[in-house]
Amino acid sequence: MRKLKYIQSASWLLLCNLALANILFAQESKKWTPEKIINTEYLSSPAFSPDNSMFVWTKRKGVKEKDKFVSDIYLTRLDLKKEGKYRTFQLTQGEDSNYSPLFSKDGESIYFLSSRDKGKKLWKLSIFGGEPEEVHEFKNGISDINWLNDSTLLYTSNEGKTLYEQEQEESKDNTVIVEDEEHWTTTRVYSFDIKEKSIKRITDNEKPVYTYQLSSNGKWLVIGTSQSRHYPADANPDPKFYLYNLESGNKEQILEDLQTPGSFTFTADNLGFYFTAELSSDPEWNGAGITELYYFDFMSKERRKKVDIDWDWGISRGFDLSGNDAFISLAKGATVGLAYLQKGVDAVWTKYDINLGEKNDHTQILSISKDGSKILYTYSTASKIPTYYIADIDKTARTLKKSGPVFKNEEEVVFLNDDLKKLPIARSEVFTWKGWNDEEVSGLLYYPEDYEEGKKYPLILSIHGGPSGVDTDSWSERWSTYPQILSQKGAFVLKPNYHGSSNYGLEFVESIKKNYYDPELTDILNGIEALDKKGMIDKSQMGTMGWSNGAILTIMLTVRYPEMFKVAAPGAGDVNWTSDFGTCRFGVSFDQSYFGGAPWDDTDGKTYNENYITKSPLFELEKVKTPTIIFHGSEDRAVPRDQGWEYYRALQQVDEAPVRFLWFPGQPHGLQKITHQLRKMKEEIAWIDKYLFNKEEEKNEAFKKESPLAQILALSKLEKSNGNFGVMKDGVLIPQTEVVKEDSISIGVFEVTFAQYKEFDNNFTFAPVDANKPVSGVSLEKAKAYATWLSEKTGEKYRLPSTKEAEKLQKKAVKVADKENTLNYLAGYKLTVDDVIELKEKIEGKESNLIKEVGNFKATKVGEADVYDLGGNVTEWAEDGSTIGYNASDFADSTETTNSADTKLAGFRIIKD
């Protein structure tokens, strides 16, 4: 963030004016917008160099031309600082995505993958700069790179197209075979020797590898293989896991009786690996549960042991290793704790809490160096944009058995989103109330902007998916949920962690199995009542929104409580559980876990599972009276798009409430295209504005904003007196001004006109037809004198633009000069500098005839003010004697940023403090 440099000789008042001008003329609006939400910057995929002197990472950006997000690679040097901050360098640019960066073993190069050239190449960058170098092309693709040794990489790929696949491709037959046990595209693990450019197959699996991890000594390899194809059979069969000894060639199947093992990470001593697995009451359906930590010991007969973390609610965001020990994230409801597990002899662990002061329960580890001495982590809350820190891990205290490790020499390391941190950020808190079965429930509550205690505000529910998702007290603004925008509209936003959410223990997450909808809706309704009892919300102004399971609950809320909500915005939600069973890619496991079996199972004496009927909103949608906007992706396999069609068809036929249905072509469960994310947000916001806030925007679809008609209508709104632009005050015609920002300066809509200047100088004459032209040929002294006279006449403070203001206005003027009344426009063709001399000779002595009436061209935005003729017509004086913009006889050279030096056609525009 830039800091103002204070000039000792300047008065305090002048300094305030300059600072205010800096803020008020800022181009960026001080409001949250959909564009700002989806373009928020995050540090991702960090990796330390071997000597810990730097780390490499990626940052996502939107590429409008490709309508997608791509990532670039950055390098942060921990051995270089500038102005007290660590130096960060962008290593890749362009419209391709660059990802999976890895340091070479000597730390002088970075290997990475890229979407360029169809994503089939390995690339290399020097940390000293230069262009990326192609290392090798892999005709069958390359993914998931890791070092096997100093010169050999492991990666996953496949063997290429079989004859069967080639023949199918040649026949141009695009028939999809849903179930096919004979033809696989099997991914395996391969090695690539960088020096020899040679490839070797490492694993012999028959089914595709979807995850693998290698020990640092290159001896042990663990892989997970999918047992299903493109269209999974759903919960049958489960993945299989194998352990390879790469030295002996031995292979064994492991972890056969655990639910969804994952996150394999080898210890520094290479004697074992940590991993996670789920604990649930219905592992046959991979039912939602809690995450537990395990250790696989190569030296022990027992081999596998569950690590006692002394925490009933389990692990939240996984774990990170420091040597042989583990930092773990603890599930703590609406927050996430951090603890340290010291591994002792005989696989016995000692747990220590990590004390980070205000950062406790709001910290997420991003990376730990290989030697376990440095840590990179992020800190955020629901009201604090993520900040990134580097620190040293001091284990001295742990060794003395006094406490866990201490993070020392902590410094903020990467600075992102400086523009967003200047925006108003909603106050938030973890809100707690009594829910279903009188059990404690919590969630995130965001306050409306400029909240006043004792005043009641609208409430919008923003419901998370899952259902075993969770909203924690961390920064969470994205296309599917954006409380900052809703807060600035003046509403409370509640994100409830209803029964069935994770992070609250096994009993809580499983409480909705065979009991779907009832506990969740009770929790949500009780949360509303708790806010109402506090006198905080207006229950006559409520809305509900959510994606996936958030949409599912939103739909049922409008079914069971048709008068409660003014607006609903469900995205990717189910209405018919029978069709979901057959079309959702995990319909078998999900539906049987939550509804107690398949649709045809006998329950309660019936020959079918009635939950598939009684729990389906489709059969009660005639009750809905809430204006509803529906969203779906056409390629969604988690909640297939046809669920949206069934939902829309019912509401459209019943016709008890307005309904709008948007589906996004080619999009999966989570929207990926920039245009689709923005369209979803803007349509949703407009729907909420219309039906909750009663702020429907008057939009004429036949009216084009960029048209001559728009220009005429805009000018017709400006004030005139007897046909002359300006405002009559105490019998005097004065310039009209518009406020740049709330509670700030105002700027003249036009330059001072002939008619306005005549009020100041009685000896000034002009033809009546020129009354609305800008006065020109005025000296700086005369312009200042006019401002002084105007101040005395009105009792308000008027002046010319200051130096700072002039610089900012000039930047805007340069951008529009060739589209306004300059020689570029008047020439009637694309004027070049070579034509200017002859053209100047043509108009010599006639320059004043070129000046037009004010307002002939589109206005330029200065803050929130519409300002006309900033780039052309006449140049404008500033207080310091510099000028702004170009006059009608000037050539506006796009290669120059300076304005006209000719003051023969100089006029001026006033500023009102």
Side-chain angles (χ1 to χ4, degrees), residues 221-268:
L221 176 71
V222 61
I223 68 169
T225 60
S226 173
Q227 302 301 297
S228 55
R229 301 181 177 280
H230 309 294
Y231 293 85
D234 194 354
N236 182 27
D238 283 333
K240 292 182 180 180
F241 301 89
Y242 299 92
L243 179 67
Y244 284 78
N245 184 326
L246 298 184
E247 291 181 356
S248 67
N250 290 336
K251 167 191 171 183
E252 63 175 304
Q253 186 175 350
I254 58 173
L255 315 180
E256 296 177 68
D257 57 342
L258 289 179
Q259 181 180 336
T260 57
S263 302
F264 306 103
T265 309
F266 284 86
T267 54

Short mmCIF file of all heavy atoms in Angstrom, two decimals, residues 221-268:
data_model
loop_
_atom_site.label_atom_id
_atom_site.label_comp_id
_atom_site.label_asym_id
_atom_site.label_seq_id
_atom_site.Cartn_x
_atom_site.Cartn_y
_atom_site.Cartn_z
N LEU A 221 6.91 -46.87 -2.43
CA LEU A 221 5.89 -46.20 -3.24
C LEU A 221 4.53 -46.77 -2.87
O LEU A 221 4.33 -47.99 -2.87
CB LEU A 221 6.15 -46.44 -4.73
CG LEU A 221 5.11 -45.88 -5.72
CD1 LEU A 221 5.21 -44.36 -5.76
CD2 LEU A 221 5.32 -46.47 -7.11
N VAL A 222 3.58 -45.88 -2.54
CA VAL A 222 2.22 -46.32 -2.27
C VAL A 222 1.31 -45.73 -3.35
O VAL A 222 1.47 -44.56 -3.73
CB VAL A 222 1.75 -45.91 -0.85
CG1 VAL A 222 1.76 -44.41 -0.67
CG2 VAL A 222 0.35 -46.47 -0.56
N ILE A 223 0.42 -46.53 -3.88
CA ILE A 223 -0.50 -46.06 -4.92
C ILE A 223 -1.93 -46.43 -4.57
O ILE A 223 -2.18 -47.39 -3.85
CB ILE A 223 -0.15 -46.64 -6.31
CG1 ILE A 223 -0.42 -48.14 -6.37
CG2 ILE A 223 1.28 -46.31 -6.71
CD1 ILE A 223 -0.35 -48.73 -7.77
N GLY A 224 -2.86 -45.64 -5.08
CA GLY A 224 -4.28 -45.96 -4.99
C GLY A 224 -4.81 -46.14 -6.40
O GLY A 224 -4.53 -45.33 -7.29
N THR A 225 -5.56 -47.21 -6.64
CA THR A 225 -6.08 -47.50 -7.98
C THR A 225 -7.59 -47.52 -7.97
O THR A 225 -8.22 -48.13 -7.10
CB THR A 225 -5.56 -48.86 -8.50
OG1 THR A 225 -6.00 -49.89 -7.61
CG2 THR A 225 -4.05 -48.87 -8.60
N SER A 226 -8.16 -46.84 -8.94
CA SER A 226 -9.62 -46.84 -9.09
C SER A 226 -10.06 -48.15 -9.70
O SER A 226 -9.43 -48.64 -10.64
CB SER A 226 -10.04 -45.67 -9.97
OG SER A 226 -11.41 -45.74 -10.27
N GLN A 227 -11.14 -48.70 -9.20
CA GLN A 227 -11.64 -49.97 -9.72
C GLN A 227 -12.83 -49.76 -10.66
O GLN A 227 -13.48 -50.72 -11.07
CB GLN A 227 -12.06 -50.86 -8.54
CG GLN A 227 -10.94 -51.15 -7.57
CD GLN A 227 -9.75 -51.82 -8.23
OE1 GLN A 227 -9.85 -52.93 -8.74
NE2 GLN A 227 -8.60 -51.15 -8.23
N SER A 228 -13.11 -48.51 -11.00
CA SER A 228 -14.22 -48.22 -11.90
C SER A 228 -13.73 -47.32 -13.04
O SER A 228 -12.64 -46.78 -12.99
CB SER A 228 -15.37 -47.55 -11.15
OG SER A 228 -14.91 -46.40 -10.49
N ARG A 229 -14.57 -47.14 -14.05
CA ARG A 229 -14.15 -46.44 -15.25
C ARG A 229 -14.70 -45.02 -15.30
O ARG A 229 -14.95 -44.40 -14.29
CB ARG A 229 -14.63 -47.23 -16.47
CG ARG A 229 -14.07 -48.63 -16.51
CD ARG A 229 -14.56 -49.33 -17.76
NE ARG A 229 -13.96 -50.67 -17.84
CZ ARG A 229 -12.73 -50.87 -18.28
NH1 ARG A 229 -11.98 -49.87 -18.66
NH2 ARG A 229 -12.24 -52.09 -18.32
N HIS A 230 -14.91 -44.55 -16.54
CA HIS A 230 -15.39 -43.18 -16.73
C HIS A 230 -16.71 -42.96 -15.99
O HIS A 230 -16.97 -41.90 -15.45
CB HIS A 230 -15.62 -42.90 -18.22
CG HIS A 230 -14.44 -43.23 -19.08
ND1 HIS A 230 -13.25 -42.55 -18.98
CD2 HIS A 230 -14.26 -44.19 -20.03
CE1 HIS A 230 -12.39 -43.07 -19.85
NE2 HIS A 230 -12.97 -44.06 -20.49
N TYR A 231 -17.57 -43.98 -15.99
CA TYR A 231 -18.85 -43.89 -15.31
C TYR A 231 -18.84 -44.87 -14.15
O TYR A 231 -19.10 -46.06 -14.29
CB TYR A 231 -20.00 -44.21 -16.28
CG TYR A 231 -20.14 -43.18 -17.35
CD1 TYR A 231 -19.37 -43.25 -18.51
CD2 TYR A 231 -20.99 -42.10 -17.19
CE1 TYR A 231 -19.46 -42.28 -19.49
CE2 TYR A 231 -21.10 -41.13 -18.17
CZ TYR A 231 -20.34 -41.22 -19.32
OH TYR A 231 -20.44 -40.25 -20.28
N PRO A 232 -18.44 -44.40 -12.96
CA PRO A 232 -18.24 -45.31 -11.83
C PRO A 232 -19.49 -46.10 -11.48
O PRO A 232 -20.61 -45.62 -11.60
CB PRO A 232 -17.83 -44.38 -10.69
CG PRO A 232 -18.00 -42.99 -11.17
CD PRO A 232 -18.23 -43.00 -12.62
N ALA A 233 -19.26 -47.32 -11.05
CA ALA A 233 -20.38 -48.17 -10.62
C ALA A 233 -20.93 -47.71 -9.28
O ALA A 233 -21.94 -48.23 -8.83
CB ALA A 233 -19.92 -49.62 -10.54
N ASP A 234 -20.26 -46.74 -8.64
CA ASP A 234 -20.77 -46.09 -7.44
C ASP A 234 -20.74 -47.02 -6.22
O ASP A 234 -21.61 -47.85 -6.04
CB ASP A 234 -22.18 -45.58 -7.66
CG ASP A 234 -22.62 -44.62 -6.56
OD1 ASP A 234 -21.86 -44.45 -5.60
OD2 ASP A 234 -23.69 -44.03 -6.68
N ALA A 235 -19.71 -46.82 -5.41
CA ALA A 235 -19.56 -47.52 -4.13
C ALA A 235 -19.23 -49.00 -4.29
O ALA A 235 -19.15 -49.72 -3.31
CB ALA A 235 -20.81 -47.36 -3.26
N ASN A 236 -19.08 -49.46 -5.51
CA ASN A 236 -18.76 -50.88 -5.71
C ASN A 236 -18.07 -51.05 -7.05
O ASN A 236 -18.67 -50.84 -8.10
CB ASN A 236 -20.05 -51.70 -5.70
CG ASN A 236 -19.76 -53.19 -5.86
OD1 ASN A 236 -18.70 -53.66 -5.49
ND2 ASN A 236 -20.72 -53.91 -6.42
N PRO A 237 -16.78 -51.40 -7.10
CA PRO A 237 -15.95 -51.65 -5.91
C PRO A 237 -15.21 -50.40 -5.45
O PRO A 237 -15.11 -49.42 -6.19
CB PRO A 237 -14.96 -52.69 -6.44
CG PRO A 237 -14.80 -52.32 -7.90
CD PRO A 237 -16.12 -51.79 -8.35
N ASP A 238 -14.69 -50.47 -4.23
CA ASP A 238 -13.88 -49.38 -3.69
C ASP A 238 -12.48 -49.43 -4.28
O ASP A 238 -12.05 -50.45 -4.81
CB ASP A 238 -13.80 -49.50 -2.16
CG ASP A 238 -15.07 -49.02 -1.49
OD1 ASP A 238 -15.75 -48.17 -2.08
OD2 ASP A 238 -15.37 -49.51 -0.38
N PRO A 239 -11.72 -48.34 -4.17
CA PRO A 239 -10.34 -48.33 -4.65
C PRO A 239 -9.48 -49.36 -3.92
O PRO A 239 -9.82 -49.80 -2.81
CB PRO A 239 -9.87 -46.90 -4.34
CG PRO A 239 -11.11 -46.10 -4.19
CD PRO A 239 -12.14 -47.03 -3.64
N LYS A 240 -8.37 -49.75 -4.54
CA LYS A 240 -7.41 -50.64 -3.91
C LYS A 240 -6.07 -49.91 -3.77
O LYS A 240 -5.72 -49.07 -4.60
CB LYS A 240 -7.24 -51.92 -4.73
CG LYS A 240 -8.48 -52.81 -4.73
CD LYS A 240 -8.23 -54.10 -5.51
CE LYS A 240 -9.48 -54.98 -5.49
NZ LYS A 240 -9.27 -56.25 -6.25
N PHE A 241 -5.33 -50.29 -2.72
CA PHE A 241 -4.07 -49.62 -2.42
C PHE A 241 -2.95 -50.65 -2.36
O PHE A 241 -3.11 -51.75 -1.84
CB PHE A 241 -4.19 -48.86 -1.09
CG PHE A 241 -5.28 -47.82 -1.11
CD1 PHE A 241 -6.58 -48.15 -0.74
CD2 PHE A 241 -5.01 -46.53 -1.52
CE1 PHE A 241 -7.59 -47.22 -0.79
CE2 PHE A 241 -6.02 -45.58 -1.56
CZ PHE A 241 -7.32 -45.93 -1.20
N TYR A 242 -1.79 -50.24 -2.91
CA TYR A 242 -0.64 -51.14 -2.99
C TYR A 242 0.62 -50.44 -2.51
O TYR A 242 0.81 -49.24 -2.74
CB TYR A 242 -0.44 -51.63 -4.42
CG TYR A 242 -1.62 -52.41 -4.97
CD1 TYR A 242 -2.63 -51.76 -5.66
CD2 TYR A 242 -1.71 -53.78 -4.77
CE1 TYR A 242 -3.72 -52.47 -6.16
CE2 TYR A 242 -2.79 -54.50 -5.27
CZ TYR A 242 -3.80 -53.83 -5.96
OH TYR A 242 -4.87 -54.54 -6.44
N LEU A 243 1.47 -51.20 -1.86
CA LEU A 243 2.76 -50.72 -1.42
C LEU A 243 3.85 -51.43 -2.23
O LEU A 243 3.91 -52.66 -2.25
CB LEU A 243 2.96 -50.99 0.08
CG LEU A 243 4.29 -50.55 0.67
CD1 LEU A 243 4.43 -49.03 0.65
CD2 LEU A 243 4.44 -51.07 2.11
N TYR A 244 4.70 -50.62 -2.90
CA TYR A 244 5.81 -51.16 -3.68
C TYR A 244 7.12 -50.93 -2.93
O TYR A 244 7.35 -49.83 -2.40
CB TYR A 244 5.91 -50.44 -5.03
CG TYR A 244 4.88 -50.84 -6.05
CD1 TYR A 244 3.57 -50.35 -5.97
CD2 TYR A 244 5.20 -51.66 -7.11
CE1 TYR A 244 2.62 -50.68 -6.92
CE2 TYR A 244 4.26 -52.00 -8.08
CZ TYR A 244 2.97 -51.51 -7.98
OH TYR A 244 2.04 -51.83 -8.92
N ASN A 245 7.96 -51.95 -2.92
CA ASN A 245 9.35 -51.79 -2.51
C ASN A 245 10.15 -51.72 -3.82
O ASN A 245 10.36 -52.72 -4.49
CB ASN A 245 9.81 -52.98 -1.67
CG ASN A 245 11.23 -52.80 -1.15
OD1 ASN A 245 12.08 -52.21 -1.83
ND2 ASN A 245 11.49 -53.32 0.04
N LEU A 246 10.58 -50.51 -4.19
CA LEU A 246 11.21 -50.32 -5.49
C LEU A 246 12.61 -50.91 -5.55
O LEU A 246 13.15 -51.11 -6.64
CB LEU A 246 11.26 -48.83 -5.83
CG LEU A 246 9.90 -48.12 -5.95
CD1 LEU A 246 10.08 -46.68 -6.38
CD2 LEU A 246 8.98 -48.85 -6.91
N GLU A 247 13.18 -51.22 -4.39
CA GLU A 247 14.50 -51.85 -4.38
C GLU A 247 14.38 -53.36 -4.64
O GLU A 247 15.13 -53.94 -5.43
CB GLU A 247 15.20 -51.61 -3.05
CG GLU A 247 15.61 -50.16 -2.84
CD GLU A 247 16.32 -49.95 -1.51
OE1 GLU A 247 16.42 -50.92 -0.73
OE2 GLU A 247 16.76 -48.81 -1.25
N SER A 248 13.42 -54.01 -4.00
CA SER A 248 13.28 -55.46 -4.15
C SER A 248 12.30 -55.85 -5.25
O SER A 248 12.32 -56.98 -5.73
CB SER A 248 12.81 -56.06 -2.82
OG SER A 248 11.47 -55.64 -2.53
N GLY A 249 11.43 -54.90 -5.62
CA GLY A 249 10.41 -55.21 -6.61
C GLY A 249 9.16 -55.82 -6.02
O GLY A 249 8.22 -56.16 -6.75
N ASN A 250 9.12 -56.00 -4.70
CA ASN A 250 7.95 -56.58 -4.05
C ASN A 250 6.77 -55.62 -4.08
O ASN A 250 6.93 -54.40 -4.03
CB ASN A 250 8.27 -56.95 -2.61
CG ASN A 250 9.21 -58.14 -2.53
OD1 ASN A 250 9.30 -58.93 -3.46
ND2 ASN A 250 9.92 -58.25 -1.42
N LYS A 251 5.58 -56.18 -4.09
CA LYS A 251 4.33 -55.40 -4.10
C LYS A 251 3.31 -56.12 -3.23
O LYS A 251 3.19 -57.34 -3.30
CB LYS A 251 3.81 -55.28 -5.54
CG LYS A 251 2.38 -54.78 -5.68
CD LYS A 251 1.93 -54.96 -7.12
CE LYS A 251 0.45 -54.69 -7.28
NZ LYS A 251 0.00 -54.94 -8.67
N GLU A 252 2.59 -55.36 -2.40
CA GLU A 252 1.55 -55.97 -1.57
C GLU A 252 0.34 -55.06 -1.48
O GLU A 252 0.46 -53.83 -1.51
CB GLU A 252 2.08 -56.26 -0.16
CG GLU A 252 2.49 -55.03 0.63
CD GLU A 252 2.89 -55.36 2.06
OE1 GLU A 252 2.07 -55.97 2.77
OE2 GLU A 252 4.03 -55.01 2.45
N GLN A 253 -0.84 -55.65 -1.42
CA GLN A 253 -2.05 -54.87 -1.22
C GLN A 253 -2.19 -54.53 0.25
O GLN A 253 -1.94 -55.37 1.13
CB GLN A 253 -3.28 -55.63 -1.69
CG GLN A 253 -4.55 -54.79 -1.63
CD GLN A 253 -5.77 -55.50 -2.21
OE1 GLN A 253 -5.63 -56.56 -2.83
NE2 GLN A 253 -6.94 -54.94 -1.99
N ILE A 254 -2.58 -53.28 0.54
CA ILE A 254 -2.67 -52.81 1.93
C ILE A 254 -4.00 -52.08 2.14
O ILE A 254 -4.70 -51.74 1.20
CB ILE A 254 -1.50 -51.88 2.30
CG1 ILE A 254 -1.45 -50.66 1.35
CG2 ILE A 254 -0.17 -52.63 2.27
CD1 ILE A 254 -0.43 -49.61 1.73
N LEU A 255 -4.33 -51.85 3.41
CA LEU A 255 -5.45 -50.99 3.83
C LEU A 255 -6.79 -51.46 3.27
O LEU A 255 -7.65 -50.64 2.92
CB LEU A 255 -5.18 -49.53 3.43
CG LEU A 255 -3.77 -48.98 3.70
CD1 LEU A 255 -3.66 -47.54 3.25
CD2 LEU A 255 -3.42 -49.12 5.17
N GLU A 256 -6.99 -52.75 3.21
CA GLU A 256 -8.20 -53.29 2.57
C GLU A 256 -9.47 -53.02 3.35
O GLU A 256 -10.56 -53.00 2.78
CB GLU A 256 -8.03 -54.80 2.36
CG GLU A 256 -6.92 -55.15 1.39
CD GLU A 256 -6.74 -56.66 1.25
OE1 GLU A 256 -7.65 -57.29 0.69
OE2 GLU A 256 -5.71 -57.19 1.70
N ASP A 257 -9.38 -52.85 4.66
CA ASP A 257 -10.60 -52.75 5.47
C ASP A 257 -10.86 -51.33 5.96
O ASP A 257 -11.65 -51.14 6.89
CB ASP A 257 -10.51 -53.70 6.66
CG ASP A 257 -9.28 -53.42 7.52
OD1 ASP A 257 -8.35 -52.75 7.03
OD2 ASP A 257 -9.27 -53.87 8.68
N LEU A 258 -10.21 -50.34 5.37
CA LEU A 258 -10.42 -48.96 5.80
C LEU A 258 -11.27 -48.19 4.79
O LEU A 258 -11.24 -48.49 3.59
CB LEU A 258 -9.08 -48.25 5.99
CG LEU A 258 -8.24 -48.69 7.18
CD1 LEU A 258 -6.94 -47.92 7.23
CD2 LEU A 258 -9.01 -48.51 8.49
N GLN A 259 -12.00 -47.21 5.28
CA GLN A 259 -12.86 -46.41 4.41
C GLN A 259 -12.08 -45.23 3.85
O GLN A 259 -11.58 -44.39 4.59
CB GLN A 259 -14.09 -45.92 5.18
CG GLN A 259 -15.04 -45.08 4.31
CD GLN A 259 -16.25 -44.59 5.10
OE1 GLN A 259 -16.63 -45.18 6.10
NE2 GLN A 259 -16.85 -43.50 4.63
N THR A 260 -11.99 -45.18 2.54
CA THR A 260 -11.37 -44.09 1.77
C THR A 260 -10.05 -43.58 2.37
O THR A 260 -9.95 -42.42 2.76
CB THR A 260 -12.35 -42.91 1.61
OG1 THR A 260 -12.77 -42.45 2.89
CG2 THR A 260 -13.56 -43.32 0.80
N PRO A 261 -9.02 -44.42 2.43
CA PRO A 261 -7.70 -43.93 2.85
C PRO A 261 -7.18 -42.88 1.86
O PRO A 261 -7.53 -42.88 0.67
CB PRO A 261 -6.83 -45.18 2.82
CG PRO A 261 -7.77 -46.33 2.81
CD PRO A 261 -8.99 -45.86 2.10
N GLY A 262 -6.31 -41.99 2.36
CA GLY A 262 -5.75 -40.96 1.49
C GLY A 262 -4.72 -40.13 2.20
O GLY A 262 -4.35 -40.38 3.36
N SER A 263 -4.22 -39.09 1.52
CA SER A 263 -3.24 -38.12 2.05
C SER A 263 -1.97 -38.82 2.55
O SER A 263 -1.45 -38.51 3.62
CB SER A 263 -3.85 -37.30 3.19
OG SER A 263 -5.00 -36.61 2.76
N PHE A 264 -1.46 -39.77 1.78
CA PHE A 264 -0.26 -40.51 2.18
C PHE A 264 0.95 -39.58 2.21
O PHE A 264 1.22 -38.87 1.25
CB PHE A 264 0.00 -41.65 1.19
CG PHE A 264 -1.19 -42.55 1.02
CD1 PHE A 264 -2.00 -42.45 -0.10
CD2 PHE A 264 -1.52 -43.48 1.99
CE1 PHE A 264 -3.11 -43.28 -0.26
CE2 PHE A 264 -2.62 -44.32 1.84
CZ PHE A 264 -3.41 -44.21 0.72
N THR A 265 1.70 -39.59 3.33
CA THR A 265 2.88 -38.74 3.49
C THR A 265 3.94 -39.51 4.27
O THR A 265 3.70 -39.90 5.42
CB THR A 265 2.54 -37.43 4.24
OG1 THR A 265 1.41 -36.81 3.61
CG2 THR A 265 3.71 -36.47 4.19
N PHE A 266 5.11 -39.70 3.66
CA PHE A 266 6.19 -40.47 4.29
C PHE A 266 6.95 -39.61 5.30
O PHE A 266 7.12 -38.40 5.12
CB PHE A 266 7.16 -40.98 3.22
CG PHE A 266 6.63 -42.14 2.44
CD1 PHE A 266 5.83 -41.94 1.33
CD2 PHE A 266 6.91 -43.45 2.83
CE1 PHE A 266 5.33 -43.01 0.60
CE2 PHE A 266 6.42 -44.52 2.11
CZ PHE A 266 5.63 -44.31 1.00
N THR A 267 7.42 -40.27 6.36
CA THR A 267 8.22 -39.58 7.37
C THR A 267 9.63 -39.33 6.83
O THR A 267 10.07 -39.96 5.86
CB THR A 267 8.31 -40.43 8.65
OG1 THR A 267 8.78 -41.74 8.30
CG2 THR A 267 6.96 -40.53 9.32
N ALA A 268 10.34 -38.44 7.51
CA ALA A 268 11.69 -38.08 7.06
C ALA A 268 12.65 -39.26 7.16
O ALA A 268 13.59 -39.38 6.36
CB ALA A 268 12.21 -36.90 7.88
#
